[in-house]
């Protein structure tokens, strides 16, 4: 299986907080998942921890290479820019990543990289992996909380994404 490509600054185990979530789902393809991940108008319907999604360019609500957008999550107004955008292709996993940041002082500033990898597996299955690496005092506070709220929220995001893709596929059938 493939893995996330990390810029050195965000290498897991060197940052203040890191979480990794994964699901493997039967009956879906990477292309089907990609549709509901890259169209941010679907996000609030399957992930309750996101709101106020706005784009700074004409690409929205579809994410694209270098899209500049903002959204609210964990009560943080996050500025973001897509840094990796590779749609699924035969024999190649889909990759999506954005750098997110919250401006502020030493106590409130946050810098993150949120990455996704979606790959088709044998037997009509798809693997959805999302990982996030964070820097800053708020990240340290999240990491010190048990259970880690990001771990649980990102699992809800994955589960909601897969459930939505399955439901939409069933509607089209």
């Amino acid at each position: 299986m493939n893995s996330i490509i990390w810029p050195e600054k965000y290498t897991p185990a060197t940052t203040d907080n890191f979480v990794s979530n994964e699901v493997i789902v039967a009956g879906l393809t990477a292309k089907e998942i990609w549709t509901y991940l890259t169209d941010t108008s679907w996000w609030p319907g399957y992930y309750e921890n996101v709101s106020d999604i706005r784009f700074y360019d004409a690409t929205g609500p579809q994410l694209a290479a270098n899209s500049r957008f903002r959204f609210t999550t964990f009560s943080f107004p996050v500025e973001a820019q897509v840094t990796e955008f590779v749609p699924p292709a035969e024999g190649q996993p889909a990759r999506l990543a954005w750098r997110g940041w919250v401006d502020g002082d030493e106590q409130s500033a946050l810098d993150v990289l949120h990455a996704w990898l979606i790959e088709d597996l044998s037997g009509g299955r798809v693997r959805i992996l999302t990982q996030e690496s964070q820097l800053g005092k708020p990240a340290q506070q999240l990491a010190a909380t048990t259970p880690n709220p990001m771990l649980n929220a990102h699992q809800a995001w994955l589960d909601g994404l897969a459930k939505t893709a399955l439901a939409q596929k069933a509607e089209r059938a």
Side-chain angles (χ1 to χ4, degrees), residues 9-171:
K9 177 180 179 179
Y10 301 100
T11 301
T14 68
T15 59
D16 296 317
N17 191 23
F18 172 78
V19 297
S20 180
N21 297 76
E22 176 180 41
V23 295
I24 296 176
V25 183
L28 288 172
T29 66
K31 185 176 179 182
E32 290 165 325
I33 293 295
W34 186 254
T35 297
Y36 301 104
L37 177 60
T38 58
D39 182 345
T40 64
S41 66
W42 285 92
W43 291 6
Y46 66 77
Y47 180 50
E48 66 182 32
N49 194 31
V50 68
S51 63
D52 304 318
I53 303 166
R54 297 187 194 126
F55 280 77
Y56 291 102
D57 52 33
T59 61
Q62 296 288 335
L63 294 175
N66 300 310
S67 290
R68 182 78 168 73
F69 64 108
R70 72 172 304 281
F71 61 99
T72 301
T73 187
F74 291 99
S75 301
F76 291 106
V78 177
E79 298 291 329
Q81 184 164 17
V82 173
T83 59
E84 186 177 29
F85 189 88
V86 179
E90 187 68 36
Q92 172 184 302
R95 294 180 180 276
L96 174 65
W98 58 79
R99 177 181 172 246
W101 64 93
V102 176
D103 291 327
D105 61 20
E106 192 176 295
Q107 297 301 310
S108 62
L110 187 61
D111 184 9
V112 309
L113 191 76
H114 191 148
W116 297 80
L117 185 137
I118 307 160
E119 63 184 323
D120 291 317
L121 301 175
S122 62
R125 301 170 302 140
V126 66
R127 174 183 178 227
I128 312 165
L129 171 67
T130 189
Q131 297 179 330
E132 186 167 326
S133 197
Q134 302 180 329
L135 299 160
K137 291 280 186 194
Q140 292 170 5
Q141 293 166 351
L142 283 170
T145 305
T146 303
N148 186 315
M150 249 183 40
L151 187 65
N152 289 338
H154 285 180
Q155 192 62 47
W157 197 340
L158 283 177
D159 294 343
L161 173 59
K163 186 175 181 179
T164 296
L166 282 167
Q168 292 301 309
K169 184 174 185 172
E171 276 188 30

